Amino acid sequence: MSDRSHGPLHGIWAVANRELVKWYKVPFIIGMSLVQPILWLALFGKAMNLGNLFTASSLQIPGLNIPSQVINEIGRDVMLRIFGTSDYFSFLAAGMLSFIVLFMSMNSGMTMVWDRRLGILNKLLTTPVPRSNLVIGKALASVIKSLVQATVVLLVAVLLGMQFGAGINPMDFLGTYAALFLLSMGLSSLFLILALRATSWESQMMIMNLVNMPLLFTSNSFYPLQMMPWWLRDVAMVNPITYSNEAARGLLLATPGVNIYLDFAYLLAFAAFFTGLLAVMARRMLSR
Amino acid sequence: MPEPGLGEGAIVARGLTKVYNGKLTAVDHIDLDVMEGEVFALLGPNGAGKSTTIGMLTTLIKPTEGRAVVGGYDVSSQPEMVRRTIGVVPQEYTADEDLTGWENLTFIASLYGIPGAEARRRAQELLEMVELSRFARTKVEAYSGGMRRRLEIAMGLINSPRILFLDEPTLGLDVQTRTAIWSYIGKLKEEYGMTILFTTHYMEEADLYATRIAIMDRGKIVKIGTPRELKESIGGDVVTLAVDNQAAAVELLRSLGVDPREYEGSLVFKLRDASTALPELIRALMESGIQVKRMEVSEPTMDEVYMEYTGRRLRDAQASSEEMFAMRATLRRARS
Ligand SMILES: Nc1ncnc2c1ncn2[C@@H]1O[C@H](COP(=O)(O)OP(=O)(O)OP(=O)(O)O)[C@@H](O)[C@H]1O
Ligand SMILES: [Mg+2]
């Protein structure tokens, strides 16, 4: 045996790195996980562009001859007031960033179930990596995957015509990534907690499918809080995805009325709580 | 800081107990003292509690009761120190099938905090030793059973452990591969002077390679000793007789103070000083009109020792455990 120094972060990167190596070995899966958000972008953002509802071509009332310019102006005004931007596609694109983060983060639990089923976990548990670092490494891998995928979604959105707010600067991007990082850390930890004792990937899949759509639709990913009935708005107000969306839109699209400090405070609390809980529970639950 | 108080050995256990789910006592108050440099075997039928014992000694399973000190560190209060000291080759495969042999080894090395250059050198050395260098860049999913076992052993050795735990290192392998694996283990032992604790279903492996053997049954250690001591402990040589009238022979032998068992159509019993006592027995049988058709005297084998202490033939245990292993492998394949 050699006396190697084992700092408090020992093993986190090693564990994360393995997951990432496995990930980029299969480009097919990386591609597949992007299909969904990009489809949504194309479908909802382009084909069913809500902004079009308020443009001249769709609002021609026979007999009345309102100049199309006026209708367009009114439409812009309505959009701005509700969505905070005149372009629904950009609104949705910013929301899709959290969408892909949610989808990628959910998979963190699956890697746990697989490692247990295939016996790899038994090996990991006999190495000197603390249990908490083992799971945090897994969460970190999931965060990195999420952010890489979010970048791809962002690039595709830009290619499809996403418009950034006036005067955007690199700090806005950095801030957006920070918000997505916190969201992903919290979600990855949450799904890892659910998987700490799980042995069946079927039930893990069930949990994922049960949770993903509700989480998405009770957030402001598709339409703003102002358009929601009160009960849904109350639910959306606790959903962390609402806050990362707010942050992303405030920073990238310069939508007005965003309290960026509140968004970050909420996301930070969310991430810290679940990461902490994960570390504590891993120490307790990973030994029989 | 090593923990004082239990004993001197590399592996010490006192009253070590595991009760699963509050009802199934898998390991029942066992005591162990494995000395530095020993090669110690745990023998026992399926479900005896061998893997559970190894699990507790390697900090995977929390003891319900009792204490164990491994390499000077307490498994319950200093688990991370224990993990740094030991190498483990579990009963189940643990390599990541999506990675190559090389990637698996360097990954495990990184978990031990071994720096890159040293890790690569060790990985290369170990792959050479277990003769897998040619397959270093092959994904593990394409490995055969024997190759996987060898990789597992290499993985268990990556941190040059002082104490090595091997749970069924040769189960389900053909004879050549088993011999090869034991020759690697032998080499390691010579090179690093490790302490080794292993479990096996193959009696002759325990007999050949272990300095001491503990026989386990239903969670208890029923006997500990060197192979020689164990064989002597069962009291005399083993006699096998084939006779024409078994019932009468059994009755007569019982009256003469020996206790025969029927096994595969013959009578088997232990006899002290067989060279002088056996002719007398034969004469007694002949005088009562019982014909002896065949007889055989042998020194007790580990097989007989095992039979004596667990009431089971090892051959049965061996077959059933190989079956179980095959079943597990199939199940695993079906799942993925
Ligand atoms: N995680 C568990 N939960 C509940 N019971 C368990 C668990 N692991 C093992 N057991 C039970 O504990 C007993 C001892 O099992 P163990 O695996 O230690 O035996 P073993 O001697 O290694 O057997 P084998 O030769 O089949 O490997 C068995 O009855 C088994 O069913
Ligand atoms: Mg076992």
Side-chain angles (χ1 to χ4, degrees), chain A residues 86-155:
Chain A
S86 60
D87 174 21
Y88 180 71
F89 179 75
S90 301
F91 176 88
L92 185 72
M96 280 302 128
L97 299 178
S98 298
F99 177 116
I100 185 79
V101 164
L102 167 66
F103 268 61
M104 293 305 295
S105 305
M106 281 192 312
N107 285 310
S108 61
M110 279 310 255
T111 68
M112 191 79 198
V113 177
W114 279 117
D115 280 3
R116 170 173 286 116
R117 291 228 86 160
L118 300 178
I120 300 161
L121 189 65
N122 267 344
K123 186 83 213 180
L124 301 184
L125 292 177
T126 58
T127 68
V129 179
R131 268 87 174 116
S132 49
N133 292 6
L134 225 55
V135 285
I136 288 173
K138 279 184 171 292
L140 182 64
S142 166
V143 168
I144 292 171
K145 290 182 205 174
S146 302
L147 295 184
V148 170
Q149 298 283 55
T151 308
V152 179
V153 170
L154 188 63
L155 290 176

Coordinates of all heavy atoms in Angstrom, one line a residue, chain A residues 86-155:
Chain A
S86 N -41.1 39.9 -28.2 CA -42.1 39.9 -29.3 C -42.0 38.6 -30.1 O -42.8 38.3 -31.0 CB -41.8 41.1 -30.2 OG -40.5 40.9 -30.7
D87 N -41.1 37.7 -29.7 CA -40.8 36.5 -30.5 C -41.0 35.3 -29.7 O -40.2 35.0 -28.8 CB -39.4 36.7 -31.1 CG -39.0 35.4 -31.8 OD1 -39.9 34.7 -32.3 OD2 -37.8 35.2 -31.9
Y88 N -42.1 34.5 -30.0 CA -42.4 33.3 -29.2 C -41.3 32.3 -29.3 O -40.9 31.6 -28.4 CB -43.7 32.7 -29.6 CG -44.0 31.5 -28.7 CD1 -44.3 31.6 -27.4 CD2 -44.0 30.2 -29.3 CE1 -44.6 30.5 -26.6 CE2 -44.2 29.1 -28.6 CZ -44.5 29.2 -27.2 OH -44.8 28.1 -26.5
F89 N -40.7 32.2 -30.5 CA -39.7 31.2 -30.8 C -38.5 31.4 -29.8 O -38.0 30.5 -29.2 CB -39.2 31.3 -32.2 CG -38.1 30.3 -32.5 CD1 -38.4 28.9 -32.6 CD2 -36.8 30.7 -32.5 CE1 -37.4 28.0 -32.8 CE2 -35.8 29.7 -32.7 CZ -36.1 28.4 -32.9
S90 N -38.1 32.6 -29.6 CA -37.0 32.9 -28.7 C -37.4 32.6 -27.3 O -36.6 32.0 -26.5 CB -36.5 34.3 -28.8 OG -36.2 34.6 -30.1
F91 N -38.6 32.9 -26.9 CA -39.1 32.6 -25.6 C -39.1 31.1 -25.3 O -38.6 30.6 -24.3 CB -40.6 33.1 -25.6 CG -41.3 32.7 -24.3 CD1 -41.2 33.6 -23.2 CD2 -42.0 31.6 -24.2 CE1 -41.9 33.3 -22.0 CE2 -42.7 31.2 -23.0 CZ -42.6 32.1 -21.9
L92 N -39.5 30.3 -26.3 CA -39.5 28.9 -26.2 C -38.1 28.3 -26.1 O -37.8 27.4 -25.4 CB -40.3 28.2 -27.3 CG -40.5 26.7 -27.2 CD1 -41.5 26.4 -26.1 CD2 -41.0 26.1 -28.5
A93 N -37.3 28.8 -27.0 CA -35.9 28.4 -27.1 C -35.2 28.5 -25.8 O -34.5 27.6 -25.3 CB -35.1 29.1 -28.2
A94 N -35.4 29.6 -25.1 CA -34.8 29.8 -23.8 C -35.3 28.8 -22.8 O -34.6 28.2 -22.0 CB -35.0 31.2 -23.3
G95 N -36.6 28.4 -22.9 CA -37.2 27.4 -22.1 C -36.7 26.0 -22.4 O -36.6 25.2 -21.5
M96 N -36.3 25.8 -23.6 CA -35.8 24.5 -24.0 C -34.5 24.1 -23.3 O -34.1 23.0 -23.2 CB -35.7 24.4 -25.5 CG -36.9 24.1 -26.3 SD -37.7 22.6 -25.8 CE -39.3 23.2 -25.4
L97 N -33.8 25.1 -22.9 CA -32.5 24.9 -22.3 C -32.7 24.1 -21.0 O -32.0 23.1 -20.7 CB -31.7 26.2 -22.0 CG -31.4 27.0 -23.2 CD1 -30.7 28.3 -22.9 CD2 -30.5 26.2 -24.2
S98 N -33.7 24.5 -20.2 CA -34.0 23.8 -19.0 C -34.6 22.5 -19.3 O -34.4 21.5 -18.5 CB -35.0 24.7 -18.1 OG -34.4 25.9 -17.8
F99 N -35.4 22.4 -20.4 CA -36.0 21.2 -20.8 C -34.9 20.1 -21.0 O -35.0 19.0 -20.4 CB -36.7 21.4 -22.1 CG -37.4 20.2 -22.7 CD1 -38.7 20.1 -22.9 CD2 -36.6 19.2 -23.2 CE1 -39.3 19.0 -23.5 CE2 -37.2 18.1 -23.8 CZ -38.5 18.0 -23.9
I100 N -33.9 20.4 -21.7 CA -32.8 19.4 -22.0 C -32.1 19.1 -20.7 O -31.7 18.0 -20.5 CB -31.9 19.8 -23.2 CG1 -30.9 18.7 -23.5 CG2 -31.1 21.1 -22.8 CD1 -31.5 17.6 -24.4
V101 N -31.9 20.1 -19.9 CA -31.2 19.9 -18.6 C -32.0 18.9 -17.8 O -31.5 18.0 -17.2 CB -31.0 21.2 -17.9 CG1 -30.6 20.9 -16.4 CG2 -29.9 22.0 -18.5
L102 N -33.3 19.1 -17.7 CA -34.2 18.1 -17.0 C -34.0 16.7 -17.5 O -33.8 15.8 -16.8 CB -35.7 18.6 -17.1 CG -36.7 17.6 -16.6 CD1 -36.6 17.3 -15.1 CD2 -38.1 18.0 -16.9
F103 N -34.1 16.6 -18.8 CA -34.0 15.2 -19.4 C -32.7 14.6 -19.2 O -32.6 13.4 -18.9 CB -34.3 15.3 -20.9 CG -35.8 15.1 -21.2 CD1 -36.7 16.0 -20.7 CD2 -36.2 14.0 -21.9 CE1 -38.1 15.7 -20.9 CE2 -37.5 13.8 -22.2 CZ -38.5 14.6 -21.7
M104 N -31.6 15.3 -19.3 CA -30.3 14.7 -19.1 C -30.1 14.4 -17.6 O -29.5 13.4 -17.2 CB -29.2 15.7 -19.5 CG -29.2 15.9 -21.0 SD -29.1 14.3 -22.0 CE -27.5 13.7 -21.5
S105 N -30.5 15.3 -16.7 CA -30.3 15.1 -15.3 C -31.0 13.9 -14.7 O -30.5 13.2 -13.9 CB -30.7 16.3 -14.5 OG -30.1 17.5 -15.0
M106 N -32.2 13.6 -15.3 CA -32.9 12.4 -14.8 C -32.2 11.1 -15.0 O -32.4 10.2 -14.2 CB -34.3 12.3 -15.6 CG -35.3 13.3 -15.2 SD -36.9 12.9 -15.9 CE -36.5 12.7 -17.6
N107 N -31.3 11.1 -16.0 CA -30.6 9.9 -16.3 C -29.5 9.5 -15.2 O -29.0 8.4 -15.2 CB -29.9 9.9 -17.6 CG -30.9 9.8 -18.7 OD1 -31.7 8.8 -18.7 ND2 -30.9 10.7 -19.7
S108 N -29.2 10.5 -14.4 CA -28.2 10.2 -13.3 C -28.6 9.0 -12.5 O -27.8 8.1 -12.2 CB -28.1 11.4 -12.4 OG -29.3 11.7 -11.8
G109 N -29.9 8.9 -12.2 CA -30.4 7.8 -11.4 C -30.2 6.5 -12.1 O -29.9 5.4 -11.5
M110 N -30.4 6.5 -13.4 CA -30.2 5.3 -14.2 C -28.8 4.7 -14.1 O -28.6 3.5 -14.0 CB -30.5 5.5 -15.7 CG -32.0 5.5 -16.0 SD -32.8 4.1 -15.4 CE -33.0 3.2 -16.8
T111 N -27.8 5.6 -14.1 CA -26.4 5.1 -14.1 C -26.2 4.4 -12.8 O -25.4 3.4 -12.7 CB -25.4 6.3 -14.2 OG1 -25.5 7.1 -13.1 CG2 -25.6 7.1 -15.5
M112 N -26.8 4.8 -11.7 CA -26.7 4.2 -10.4 C -27.3 2.8 -10.5 O -26.7 1.8 -10.0 CB -27.5 5.0 -9.4 CG -27.3 4.7 -8.0 SD -25.8 5.4 -7.5 CE -25.5 4.4 -6.1
V113 N -28.5 2.7 -11.0 CA -29.2 1.4 -11.1 C -28.4 0.4 -11.9 O -28.2 -0.7 -11.5 CB -30.6 1.5 -11.7 CG1 -31.3 0.2 -11.9 CG2 -31.5 2.4 -10.9
W114 N -27.8 0.9 -13.0 CA -27.0 0.0 -13.9 C -25.8 -0.5 -13.1 O -25.4 -1.6 -13.2 CB -26.6 0.7 -15.2 CG -27.7 0.7 -16.2 CD1 -28.4 1.7 -16.7 CD2 -28.3 -0.5 -16.8 NE1 -29.3 1.3 -17.6 CE2 -29.3 -0.1 -17.6 CE3 -28.0 -1.9 -16.6 CZ2 -30.1 -1.0 -18.4 CZ3 -28.8 -2.8 -17.4 CH2 -29.8 -2.3 -18.2
D115 N -25.1 0.5 -12.5 CA -23.9 0.1 -11.8 C -24.2 -1.0 -10.7 O -23.3 -1.8 -10.5 CB -23.2 1.3 -11.1 CG -22.4 2.1 -12.2 OD1 -22.4 1.7 -13.4 OD2 -21.8 3.1 -11.8
R116 N -25.3 -0.8 -10.1 CA -25.7 -1.8 -9.1 C -26.0 -3.2 -9.7 O -25.4 -4.2 -9.4 CB -26.9 -1.4 -8.3 CG -27.4 -2.5 -7.4 CD -28.4 -2.1 -6.4 NE -27.9 -1.3 -5.4 CZ -28.2 0.0 -5.2 NH1 -29.1 0.6 -6.0 NH2 -27.7 0.7 -4.2
R117 N -26.8 -3.2 -10.8 CA -27.1 -4.4 -11.4 C -26.0 -5.1 -12.0 O -25.9 -6.4 -12.0 CB -28.1 -4.1 -12.6 CG -29.5 -3.7 -12.0 CD -30.6 -4.4 -12.7 NE -30.9 -5.6 -12.0 CZ -32.0 -6.3 -12.2 NH1 -33.0 -5.7 -12.9 NH2 -32.2 -7.4 -11.6
L118 N -25.0 -4.4 -12.6 CA -23.9 -5.1 -13.3 C -22.7 -5.3 -12.3 O -21.7 -5.8 -12.7 CB -23.4 -4.2 -14.4 CG -24.5 -4.0 -15.5 CD1 -24.0 -3.1 -16.6 CD2 -25.0 -5.3 -16.0
G119 N -22.9 -5.0 -11.0 CA -21.9 -5.4 -10.1 C -20.8 -4.3 -9.9 O -20.0 -4.4 -9.0
I120 N -20.8 -3.3 -10.8 CA -19.7 -2.3 -10.7 C -19.8 -1.6 -9.4 O -18.7 -1.3 -8.8 CB -19.9 -1.4 -11.9 CG1 -19.8 -2.1 -13.2 CG2 -18.9 -0.3 -11.9 CD1 -20.4 -1.4 -14.4
L121 N -21.0 -1.4 -8.9 CA -21.1 -0.6 -7.6 C -20.3 -1.3 -6.5 O -19.7 -0.7 -5.7 CB -22.6 -0.5 -7.3 CG -22.8 0.4 -6.1 CD1 -22.4 1.9 -6.4 CD2 -24.3 0.4 -5.7
N122 N -20.4 -2.7 -6.5 CA -19.7 -3.4 -5.5 C -18.2 -3.1 -5.5 O -17.5 -3.2 -4.5 CB -19.9 -4.9 -5.7 CG -21.1 -5.4 -4.9 OD1 -21.5 -4.7 -4.0 ND2 -21.6 -6.6 -5.2
K123 N -17.7 -2.9 -6.7 CA -16.2 -2.6 -6.8 C -16.0 -1.2 -6.3 O -15.1 -0.9 -5.5 CB -15.8 -2.7 -8.2 CG -14.3 -2.5 -8.4 CD -13.6 -3.8 -8.2 CE -12.3 -3.6 -7.6 NZ -11.6 -4.9 -7.4
L124 N -16.8 -0.2 -6.7 CA -16.7 1.2 -6.3 C -16.7 1.3 -4.8 O -16.0 2.1 -4.2 CB -17.8 2.0 -6.9 CG -17.9 2.0 -8.4 CD1 -19.0 3.0 -8.9 CD2 -16.5 2.4 -9.1
L125 N -17.6 0.5 -4.2 CA -17.7 0.6 -2.7 C -16.6 0.0 -1.9 O -16.5 0.3 -0.7 CB -19.0 -0.1 -2.3 CG -20.3 0.6 -2.8 CD1 -21.6 -0.1 -2.4 CD2 -20.4 2.1 -2.3
T126 N -15.7 -0.7 -2.6 CA -14.5 -1.2 -1.8 C -13.3 -0.3 -2.1 O -12.2 -0.6 -1.5 CB -14.2 -2.7 -2.2 OG1 -13.9 -2.7 -3.6 CG2 -15.3 -3.6 -1.9
T127 N -13.4 0.7 -2.8 CA -12.3 1.6 -3.0 C -12.4 2.7 -2.0 O -13.4 2.9 -1.4 CB -12.3 2.3 -4.4 OG1 -13.5 3.1 -4.5 CG2 -12.4 1.2 -5.5
P128 N -11.3 3.5 -1.8 CA -11.3 4.5 -0.7 C -12.1 5.7 -1.0 O -12.1 6.7 -0.3 CB -9.8 4.8 -0.5 CG -9.1 4.0 -1.5 CD -10.0 3.3 -2.4
V129 N -12.8 5.7 -2.1 CA -13.6 6.9 -2.4 C -14.8 7.0 -1.5 O -15.6 6.0 -1.4 CB -14.2 6.9 -3.9 CG1 -15.0 8.1 -4.2 CG2 -13.0 6.8 -4.9
P130 N -15.0 8.1 -0.7 CA -16.1 8.2 0.2 C -17.4 8.0 -0.6 O -17.6 8.5 -1.7 CB -16.0 9.6 0.8 CG -14.6 10.0 0.5 CD -14.2 9.3 -0.7
R131 N -18.4 7.4 0.0 CA -19.7 7.2 -0.6 C -20.3 8.5 -1.1 O -20.9 8.5 -2.2 CB -20.7 6.6 0.4 CG -20.8 5.1 0.5 CD -19.8 4.5 1.4 NE -19.9 3.1 1.5 CZ -19.0 2.2 1.2 NH1 -17.9 2.6 0.6 NH2 -19.2 0.9 1.4
S132 N -20.1 9.6 -0.4 CA -20.7 10.8 -0.8 C -20.1 11.3 -2.1 O -20.7 11.8 -3.0 CB -20.6 11.9 0.3 OG -19.2 11.9 0.7
N133 N -18.8 11.1 -2.2 CA -18.1 11.6 -3.4 C -18.4 10.7 -4.6 O -18.5 11.2 -5.8 CB -16.6 11.6 -3.2 CG -16.1 12.6 -2.2 OD1 -17.0 13.3 -1.6 ND2 -14.8 12.8 -2.1
L134 N -18.7 9.5 -4.4 CA -19.1 8.6 -5.4 C -20.4 9.1 -6.1 O -20.5 9.2 -7.3 CB -19.4 7.2 -4.8 CG -18.9 5.9 -5.4 CD1 -17.4 6.0 -5.6 CD2 -19.3 4.8 -4.5
V135 N -21.4 9.5 -5.3 CA -22.6 9.9 -5.9 C -22.5 11.3 -6.5 O -23.1 11.7 -7.5 CB -23.8 9.8 -4.9 CG1 -24.2 8.3 -4.8 CG2 -23.5 10.4 -3.6
I136 N -21.7 12.1 -5.8 CA -21.6 13.5 -6.3 C -20.8 13.5 -7.6 O -21.1 14.3 -8.5 CB -20.9 14.4 -5.2 CG1 -21.9 14.6 -4.1 CG2 -20.4 15.7 -5.8 CD1 -21.3 15.3 -2.9
G137 N -19.9 12.6 -7.8 CA -19.2 12.4 -9.1 C -20.2 12.1 -10.1 O -20.2 12.6 -11.3
K138 N -21.1 11.2 -9.8 CA -22.2 10.8 -10.8 C -23.1 12.0 -11.1 O -23.4 12.3 -12.3 CB -23.1 9.7 -10.2 CG -22.4 8.4 -10.4 CD -23.4 7.3 -9.9 CE -22.8 5.9 -10.3 NZ -22.8 5.7 -11.8
A139 N -23.4 12.8 -10.1 CA -24.2 14.0 -10.3 C -23.5 15.0 -11.2 O -24.0 15.5 -12.2 CB -24.6 14.7 -9.0
L140 N -22.2 15.1 -11.0 CA -21.3 16.1 -11.7 C -21.3 15.6 -13.2 O -21.4 16.5 -14.1 CB -19.9 16.1 -11.1 CG -19.0 17.1 -11.8 CD1 -19.5 18.5 -11.6 CD2 -17.6 17.0 -11.3
A141 N -21.1 14.3 -13.4 CA -21.1 13.9 -14.8 C -22.4 14.2 -15.5 O -22.4 14.7 -16.7 CB -20.9 12.4 -14.9
S142 N -23.5 14.1 -14.8 CA -24.8 14.4 -15.4 C -25.0 15.9 -15.6 O -25.6 16.3 -16.6 CB -25.8 13.8 -14.4 OG -27.1 14.3 -14.6
V143 N -24.4 16.7 -14.8 CA -24.4 18.1 -15.0 C -23.6 18.5 -16.2 O -24.1 19.3 -17.1 CB -23.8 18.9 -13.7 CG1 -23.6 20.3 -14.0 CG2 -24.8 18.7 -12.5
I144 N -22.5 17.9 -16.4 CA -21.7 18.3 -17.6 C -22.4 17.8 -18.8 O -22.4 18.6 -19.8 CB -20.3 17.6 -17.4 CG1 -19.5 18.3 -16.3 CG2 -19.5 17.8 -18.7 CD1 -18.2 17.6 -15.9
K145 N -22.9 16.7 -18.8 CA -23.7 16.2 -20.0 C -24.8 17.2 -20.3 O -25.1 17.6 -21.4 CB -24.3 14.8 -19.8 CG -23.3 13.7 -19.7 CD -24.1 12.4 -19.5 CE -23.2 11.3 -18.8 NZ -24.0 10.1 -18.5
S146 N -25.5 17.6 -19.3 CA -26.7 18.5 -19.4 C -26.2 19.8 -20.1 O -26.8 20.3 -21.0 CB -27.3 18.9 -18.1 OG -27.7 17.7 -17.4
L147 N -25.1 20.4 -19.6 CA -24.6 21.6 -20.1 C -24.2 21.5 -21.5 O -24.4 22.4 -22.4 CB -23.5 22.2 -19.2 CG -24.0 22.6 -17.8 CD1 -22.9 23.2 -17.0 CD2 -25.3 23.5 -17.8
V148 N -23.5 20.4 -21.9 CA -23.1 20.2 -23.3 C -24.3 20.1 -24.2 O -24.4 20.8 -25.2 CB -22.3 18.9 -23.4 CG1 -22.0 18.6 -24.9 CG2 -20.9 19.0 -22.7
Q149 N -25.3 19.4 -23.7 CA -26.5 19.3 -24.6 C -27.2 20.6 -24.7 O -27.8 20.9 -25.7 CB -27.5 18.2 -23.9 CG -26.9 16.8 -23.9 CD -26.9 16.1 -25.2 OE1 -26.4 16.6 -26.2 NE2 -27.5 14.9 -25.3
A150 N -27.3 21.4 -23.6 CA -27.9 22.7 -23.6 C -27.2 23.6 -24.6 O -27.9 24.3 -25.3 CB -27.9 23.3 -22.2
T151 N -25.9 23.4 -24.7 CA -25.2 24.2 -25.7 C -25.6 23.9 -27.1 O -25.8 24.8 -27.9 CB -23.7 24.0 -25.5 OG1 -23.3 24.2 -24.1 CG2 -22.9 25.0 -26.4
V152 N -25.7 22.6 -27.3 CA -26.2 22.2 -28.7 C -27.6 22.8 -29.0 O -27.8 23.3 -30.1 CB -26.2 20.7 -28.8 CG1 -26.7 20.3 -30.2 CG2 -24.8 20.1 -28.5
V153 N -28.5 22.7 -28.0 CA -29.8 23.2 -28.2 C -29.8 24.7 -28.5 O -30.4 25.2 -29.4 CB -30.7 22.9 -27.0 CG1 -32.0 23.6 -27.1 CG2 -31.0 21.4 -26.9
L154 N -28.9 25.4 -27.8 CA -28.8 26.8 -28.0 C -28.3 27.1 -29.4 O -28.8 28.0 -30.0 CB -27.8 27.4 -26.9 CG -27.7 28.9 -26.8 CD1 -29.1 29.5 -26.4 CD2 -26.6 29.3 -25.8
L155 N -27.3 26.4 -29.8 CA -26.8 26.6 -31.2 C -27.8 26.4 -32.2 O -28.0 27.2 -33.2 CB -25.6 25.7 -31.4 CG -24.3 26.1 -30.6 CD1 -23.2 25.1 -30.9 CD2 -23.8 27.5 -31.0

